[in-house]
Structures are given as C-alpha cells and as structure tokens.
Amino acid sequence: MTFGFAPSSAASLSTSAASAHRVLEPAEWAAAGIPLLRNPREVVSGLHARHLPGPATAVVAVLDPDERLRASASFVRRPAPADGWMFRNALLAQLRRVIPHDLRRRTPVRTAVLLYCRDGDARWTEEDGAWMWGLRDACTLHGLRCGAYITLTRDGWQVLGEGRGGRRPNAGSAPEPFDSTVIPPAPPRTGGAASEVLRRVAAR
C-alpha cells in the first residue's frame, strides 16, 4: 500500500485555515519525530480483535516501553466537522478513564497510539489531520509520548506518515487471536463533556 493524498479541499487549505481547524498536515506529522512501532501489524491486529471497530470508530491505546498493551478504549465519532480540539478532548477523556497520567515523569515512558476506522482509502484526509492534532495534544496533557496514527479501511490498515500497512486486518475482516495476557481496560464511566459530542462504545 502507498502513502498519498486524497483529492479534497484539505489540499488547498491555507496555513491559517488549517490552524483554525486544528489540523496537522502530513509534513508536520512526519517532522514531529513520532516513534516507529516495532511490530505495527501485531498492534493493529490486537486492537482490532479487542474492539472490532466499525466506520467512524476510534481506538486509543497505551503501550509500555516493550510495546505491550496496557490500556485501550474505543468510541464512535458523531457526524460533525473535523476539529482537532474536539478530538483532543474526546481522546483525553478516554485516556483519563482507562489509565493514570504520567505528568510527574520528566520523560514519557508510555506511548499512546490511535487506530481510526473509516470509509474511503488510506490516503490522508483533513479528518486524519484533525485526529493527528488531537492525539498529539492529548498525549502532552496526559504525560504520554505521541505514537502512531493508524487508519483502518476496507482496503486494510496504514500507519500514516510511514508508508507501512497491510491488507489484514481491515474494516470488514474477522478478528484474529490476540494476547489475552495484556491488562484489560478499566470499566467505563459515564458523564463528562466529551460524551455530549461523541457516543462512546464500551471497550472490549
């Protein structure tokens, strides 16, 4: 699979417009020094099997330094204009629900990654840019390293900004077995401002 750009209005966004919508362009994301996943397919397969995401479902996960899953949560995005600030708030609410922050550490040791299942192909869209902005900001506010942003479509999965991807799992594939020894997510809590904008799906 190749990394490219989807023909959309995002390609013609001015710098000020992109900033107003809190969107990261692919070049900005690539320059941010996002750490590479050692085994992205294993991470994607594990999150897919655990959450079975459908279209417009985001799965945020926290990995330890050995790339083991420590916590994860999934939620569905309601139809609305893509806005990184709103995505940031939703991601931060989920992170606070499933794992304590690391703000007391001088250097982050855990990494948050985001898997987003959507329609279309794997090329970058303005919505992806908003998720990238939201993930980066949520990680800063929770004391985590900002990790990979991964799209899951009918064509397969793609780590945006890296050019790595595969055909399975995909948005329509059956779940594959995953390591049951990882720590499961904490029970869901209700309430909060983010729940007014995004309908959460219980983490499996």
Side-chain angles (χ1 to χ4, degrees):
M1 299 177 71
T2 58
F3 175 68
F5 300 86
S8 70
S9 59
S12 60
L13 281 175
S14 66
T15 302
S16 59
S19 176
H21 291 287
R22 302 174 182 91
V23 171
L24 282 181
E25 301 277 350
E28 295 175 292
W29 183 255
I34 305 300
L36 300 178
L37 289 170
R38 291 193 296 271
N39 193 335
R41 187 184 187 281
E42 183 176 299
V43 172
V44 173
S45 295
L47 294 178
H48 178 262
R50 180 175 289 273
H51 293 275
L52 296 178
T57 301
V59 180
V60 62
V62 178
L63 309 178
D64 69 13
D66 295 322
E67 219 165 85
R68 291 191 299 260
L69 179 64
R70 309 317 298 175
S72 65
S74 62
F75 56 97
V76 173
R77 179 197 168 203
R78 287 184 177 176
D83 188 292
W85 183 80
M86 200 63 80
F87 291 170
R88 185 275 308 273
N89 290 346
L91 291 169
L92 193 57
Q94 297 297 326
L95 289 170
R96 287 171 173 165
R97 182 172 67 86
V98 298
I99 199 163
H101 68 74
D102 277 347
L103 293 172
R104 293 185 180 87
R105 293 183 178 273
R106 289 187 176 183
T107 305
V109 297
R110 296 185 292 190
T111 303
V113 300
L114 179 60
L115 173 72
Y116 184 57
C117 182
R118 61 168 173 76
D119 295 323
D121 58 32
R123 292 178 293 175
W124 183 89
T125 66
E126 183 179 346
E127 182 183 26
D128 294 325
W131 280 116
M132 289 170 168
W133 192 98
L135 176 63
R136 185 185 65 176
D137 217 43
C139 287
T140 299
L141 294 174
H142 206 64
L144 302 169
R145 288 200 308 169
C146 179
Y149 173 70
I150 306 159
T151 58
L152 187 72
T153 67
R154 289 282 176 181
D155 294 332
W157 57 273
Q158 178 85 4
V159 184
L160 290 194
E162 296 183 20
R164 294 192 291 174
R167 295 186 179 277
R168 295 185 68 84
N170 57 58
S173 63
E176 300 178 9
F178 69 98
D179 186 357
S180 60
T181 63
V182 295
I183 299 175
R189 298 175 187 169
T190 57
S195 62
E196 297 177 5
V197 180
L198 299 166
R199 178 171 56 85
R200 291 183 297 194
V201 175
R204 294 177 178 88

